[in-house]
Amino acid sequence: MAEIPDDPVTVDDDAAGRLWAIADELSVAGLAVRLRRTRGVLGLTATMRQPGHCETDVSVDEDGYTELRYWADPAAAPAEAAYAITNALAAITPSLARSAPGLSRPRETSAADTGLRQRMERLAPGHPSSPYNSDGSRKPPVPDPFSGELPIPGDPGFRPEGSDPRVG
């Protein structure tokens, strides 16, 4: 990990210690970490590199502003992309996790599921597995099989029956 260059701007020791600790944890997790000072603000940038994939970047500054940038699969269905984003938000925003407990349960999707959906789109209208009626209109969406699930004790969104959802 690189040293922060000397700068005449005074840095809050608590904030600096917090960033150093975050940098150490991210480094242990395998991310390449660089501490920096930009316009007097101390921050860090961490990069996760995976062979065959685009990099994932995280930036954190001493004020707590945190930014996560990653490359999403452009072939993913819109629902899958939205699901990945809302799950990331639920992980970092406790109020979102409490208000939408279903987000904590990952849906079982795979590249095979995406391929199957693409093949179904190519079926002739009216075919039993086609998403289109014989008149070419789109069939209503299949009900979400996860919509009736209840959170499991230990899941981030779990609240015992009868608990007040406004208390968190």
Side-chain angles (χ1 to χ4, degrees), residues 27-110:
S27 183
V28 168
L31 281 77
V33 181
R34 187 174 134 278
L35 287 157
R36 67 192 177 341
R37 189 172 293 143
T38 307
R39 291 186 297 278
V41 177
L42 182 62
L44 69 82
T45 302
T47 303
M48 179 176 66
R49 293 181 177 92
Q50 295 175 306
H53 297 280
C54 292
E55 296 175 346
T56 297
D57 296 310
V58 179
S59 294
V60 182
D61 73 20
E62 64 184 309
D63 297 326
Y65 179 77
T66 304
E67 186 176 303
L68 171 64
R69 292 182 306 273
Y70 69 98
W71 188 263
D73 181 1
E80 292 172 319
Y83 189 76
I85 292 166
T86 55
N87 270 300
L89 290 172
I92 61 174
T93 311
S95 61
L96 179 62
R98 284 192 300 273
S99 67
L103 293 177
S104 60
R105 295 280 321 236
R107 295 181 187 192
E108 295 178 18
T109 60
S110 67

Side-chain angles (χ1 to χ4, degrees), residues 74-167:
E80 292 172 319
Y83 189 76
I85 292 166
T86 55
N87 270 300
L89 290 172
I92 61 174
T93 311
S95 61
L96 179 62
R98 284 192 300 273
S99 67
L103 293 177
S104 60
R105 295 280 321 236
R107 295 181 187 192
E108 295 178 18
T109 60
S110 67
D113 293 334
T114 302
L116 175 62
R117 271 196 292 296
Q118 290 171 346
R119 289 192 307 276
M120 288 171 58
E121 286 285 332
R122 293 191 300 262
L123 292 172
H127 184 283
S129 295
S130 171
Y132 301 98
N133 293 313
S134 56
D135 65 359
S137 64
R138 193 158 191 73
K139 291 179 181 174
V142 177
D144 182 1
F146 299 100
S147 64
E149 286 189 359
L150 298 173
I152 299 171
D155 277 356
F158 177 75
R159 278 189 304 278
E161 199 170 313
S163 65
D164 187 346
R166 295 171 293 176
V167 176

